[in-house]
C-alpha cells in the first residue's frame, strides 16, 4: 500500500525520538532512563495509535474497504485517531460510542466529527456484546461494508505495528516499559525484544490481571507464538481507568517541571510513577538502562 497524506503536507515523525532523562531520583539507584517519544509521531495520530492503525489501514486498503468502523467510549483517544487517519488516508469512518448521546459533544467526540467521523450510540449492555456476530451484522447492515477495528484498535495486526518501535532504539537497554490498557502494545513490544531484554506493562485498569491472557492472545495472533520476557504490574492504576489521585497529579507536575514533558495522566503518568517506585524499591537492578515508551 502506498500512503498518501492530504495536501497540507502532514507527515509522520519516524523513527520517533529517543531522549535521555537525567533525574537524581534514578541516578542515585544507578539506573539510566530513556524516553521513546512515540507521542511525537503525529499530533493527530500519536504513539501507539499510529502503530496500531498502520497495518490495519493497509489491510482495509487491500480489501478495498473504503469505510472503517470502530468502537470507543465518549473520551476515546482511539476514536479521535481513527477519525484523523480516515481523513488523511481517504476512509469514511464510523464511531460506535458506548452509552447515550450527550450534547454538546465533548472535545474528543467533537474533534472526531470535525474529521468526518459519523457517530452512533449503543447502550452499555449492547456495547459489551460488540463482538457478537449479530451486533456486528446489525452495524454493518446500517452503515454498509466496513473494515471493523476492535475497541482501541487492538488486534494481531496492531501488535505487529507496536513491535516495530523496538527496532528504532539504537541504544542498548535492559528493560522497556509501556502503559497497558488492552495488552496489545506490550504484546508487540515484548515479542520484538532481543535475548536478555524484558518488558514491563503497567496496567491502567483496576483488576488488570486479566491482561496477561490478552497479551498472550495478541502474541499468538500476530506472531504465532508466546514469549515469557514480560511482566504485568497492576499496582499503579490509581483507582481505575481514567481515574487519578493527588499524588499522581503531584508527580505529573514535578516531572514536567524537571524535564519539560507533560505526562498523559490516563496512561503515561501511571506507568512512570510505577517505574520510579519500582526503581526505588530495588526491583530494577543498578546498572540497568530502562526505556519508557510515551504514547
Amino acid at each position: 500500500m502506498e500512503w498518501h497524506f492530504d495536501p497540507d503536507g502532514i507527515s509522520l515523525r519516524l523513527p520517533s525520538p529517543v531522549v535521555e532523562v537525567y533525574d537524581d531520583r534514578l541516578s542515585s539507584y544507578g539506573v539510566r532512563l530513556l524516553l521513546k517519544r512515540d507521542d511525537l509521531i503525529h499530533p493527530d495520530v500519536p504513539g501507539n495509535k499510529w502503530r496500531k492503525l498502520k497495518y490495519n489501514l493497509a489491510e482495509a486498503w487491500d480489501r478495498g474497504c473504503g469505510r472503517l468502523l470502530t468502537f470507543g467510549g465518549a473520551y476515546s483517544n482511539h476514536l479521535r485517531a481513527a477519525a484523523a487517519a480516515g481523513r488523511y488516508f481517504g476512509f469514511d469512518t464510523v464511531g460506535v460510542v458506548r452509552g447515550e448521546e450527550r450534547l454538546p459533544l465533548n472535545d474528543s467526540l467533537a474533534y472526531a466529527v470535525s474529521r468526518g467521523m459519523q457517530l452512533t450510540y449503543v447502550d452499555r449492555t449492547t456495547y459489551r456484546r460488540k463482538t457478537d456476530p449479530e451486533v456486528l451484522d446489525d452495524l454493518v447492515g446500517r452503515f454498509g461494508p466496513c473494515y471493523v477495528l476492535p475497541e482501541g484498535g487492538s488486534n494481531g495486526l496492531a501488535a505487529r505495528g507496536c513491535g516495530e518501535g523496538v527496532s528504532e532504539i539504537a541504544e542498548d537497554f535492559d528493560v522497556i516499559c509501556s502503559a497497558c490498557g488492552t495488552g496489545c502494545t506490550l504484546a508487540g513490544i515484548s515479542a520484538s525484544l532481543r535475548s536478555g531484554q524484558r518488558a514491563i506493562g503497567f496496567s491502567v485498569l483496576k483488576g488488570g490481571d486479566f491482561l496477561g491472557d490478552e497479551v498472550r492472545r495478541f502474541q499468538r495472533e500476530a506472531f504465532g507464538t508466546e514469549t515469557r520476557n514480560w511482566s504485568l504490574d497492576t499496582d499503579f492504576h490509581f483507582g481505575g481507568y481514567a481515574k487519578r489521585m493527588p499524588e499522581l497529579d503531584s508527580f505529573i507536575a514535578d516531572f514536567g517541571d524537571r524535564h519539560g514533558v507533560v505526562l498523559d495522566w490516563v496512561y503515561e503518568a501511571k506507568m512512570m510513577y510505577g517505574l520510579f517506585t519500582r526503581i526505588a524499591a530495588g526491583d530494577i537492578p543498578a546498572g540497568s538502562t530502562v526505556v519508557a515508551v510515551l504514547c
Side-chain angles (χ1 to χ4, degrees), residues 189-235:
I189 286 173
S190 55
S192 305
L193 297 178
R194 298 190 300 272
S195 177
Q197 296 175 326
R198 64 187 178 98
I200 304 172
F202 288 90
S203 173
V204 302
L205 310 176
K206 187 176 182 179
D209 293 309
F210 75 94
L211 290 172
D213 290 336
E214 291 296 283
V215 172
R216 288 182 282 270
R217 179 174 69 85
F218 287 130
Q219 286 192 335
R220 292 192 301 271
E221 185 179 342
F223 309 105
T225 189
E226 300 175 13
T227 68
R228 298 184 178 182
N229 57 350
W230 57 273
S231 60
L232 188 64
D233 195 322
T234 61
D235 289 344

Side-chain angles (χ1 to χ4, degrees), residues 130-143:
K130 59 186 174 295
T131 60
D132 290 357
E134 58 268 31
V135 174
L136 290 175
D137 288 346
D138 176 68
L139 289 168
V140 172
R142 289 165 55 194
F143 294 103

Side-chain angles (χ1 to χ4, degrees), residues 171-184:
E171 300 216 37
D172 291 332
F173 64 89
D174 304 288
V175 180
I176 186 167
C177 302
S178 70
C180 202
T182 65
C184 184

